């Protein structure tokens, strides 16, 4: 189903063209998957977010990544490639159609050893995970971000980073709730609860980036975080 919010960019058209189209698209097999997703209108992260994600993972030298929301496996493959053969991605998804497509993607990319796909609801899976992650990427149901956050913070290492995608709702997240379509109001409330929980939190370092439909970056300053 077409997500209208993906086609209502917040940035001006000329800036969007610069960050999305003038930056190099992915190449090789990953580029083929990216272009096919564009053709099929599959909701993968836009090119400016993908470019930033690859750049950022290399800078922080991440080796252990957790992803919530696998979709067709594009972003997990990108992250695995960015980290190299010593890195590993654990990704969670509950939709059978996406799981099948993601498995094909990982096989095609030769990443079955670098990516572990856990099938199930993240709400049930996250409490079962142990250890710590350098980086956590959330790109799933936006109304669930605030519910997933406490477990993600538990799993994140100190000074690790959580990156949460699609937090602008095409700019409507800061509108009066009466201006938001009724079908989007649950997401609106949950995203604002997320902002309320993290933006002024004394033990988190937070920034917001205008990539795609908005990216929220959260760094954990101490071991135990109460949300």
């Amino acid at each position: 189903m077409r997500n209208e919010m993906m086609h209502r960019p917040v940035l001006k058209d000329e800036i969007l063209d610069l960050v999305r189209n003038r930056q190099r698209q992915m190449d090789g097999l990953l580029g083929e998957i990216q272009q096919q997703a564009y053709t099929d209108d599959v909701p993968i992260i836009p090119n400016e977010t993908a470019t930033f994600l690859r750049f950022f993972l290399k800078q922080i030298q991440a080796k252990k990544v957790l992803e919530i929301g696998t979709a067709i496996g594009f972003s997990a493959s990108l992250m695995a490639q960015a980290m190299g053969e010593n890195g590993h991605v654990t990704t969670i998804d509950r939709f059978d159609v996406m799981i099948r497509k993601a498995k094909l993607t990982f096989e095609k990319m030769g990443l079955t050893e670098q990516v572990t796909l856990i099938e199930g609801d993240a709400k049930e899976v996250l409490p079962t995970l142990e250890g710590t992650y350098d980086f956590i990427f959330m790109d799933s149901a936006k109304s669930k971000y605030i519910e997933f956050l406490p477990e993600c913070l538990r799993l994140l290492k100190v000074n690790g980073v959580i990156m949460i995608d699609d937090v602008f709702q095409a700019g409507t997240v800061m509108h009066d709730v009466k201006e938001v379509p009724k079908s989007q109001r649950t997401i609106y409330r949950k995203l604002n609860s997320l902002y309320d929980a993290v933006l002024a939190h004394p033990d988190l370092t937070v920034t917001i980036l205008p990539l795609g439909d908005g990216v929220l970056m959260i760094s954990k300053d101490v071991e135990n975080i109460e949300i």
Side-chain angles (χ1 to χ4, degrees), residues 190-206:
K190 294 288 188 176
L191 284 176
N192 274 287
S193 294
L194 176 66
Y195 285 128
D196 290 342
V198 304
L199 289 181
H201 198 290
D203 296 322
L204 300 173
T205 300
V206 182

Side-chain angles (χ1 to χ4, degrees), residues 20-37:
R20 181 168 297 177
N21 299 321
R22 286 188 63 184
Q23 291 193 97
R24 189 177 68 186
Q25 304 287 312
M26 302 297 116
D27 52 17
L29 290 175
L30 190 65
E32 293 177 14
I33 293 166
Q34 182 185 45
Q35 294 304 318
Q36 189 61 51

Side-chain angles (χ1 to χ4, degrees), residues 1 19-20 27 30 49 68 77 105 109 134-135 150-152 154 157 164 176-178 184-185 191 200 211:
M1 181 179 294
V19 300
R20 181 168 297 177
D27 52 17
L30 190 65
T49 306
I68 303 171
S77 297
T105 295
M109 294 288 298
D134 303 315
F135 181 80
E151 285 294 333
C152 287
R154 176 184 67 83
K157 75 174 186 180
I164 306 179
D176 187 286
V177 67
K178 295 177 183 177
Q184 300 293 323
R185 288 183 184 177
L191 284 176
L211 297 168

Side-chain angles (χ1 to χ4, degrees), residues 91-106:
T91 183
I92 306 168
D93 208 292
R94 66 188 182 93
F95 294 107
D96 291 341
V97 172
M98 292 300 182
I99 288 169
R100 289 197 297 272
K101 290 182 177 180
K103 287 180 177 179
L104 290 173
T105 295
F106 301 145

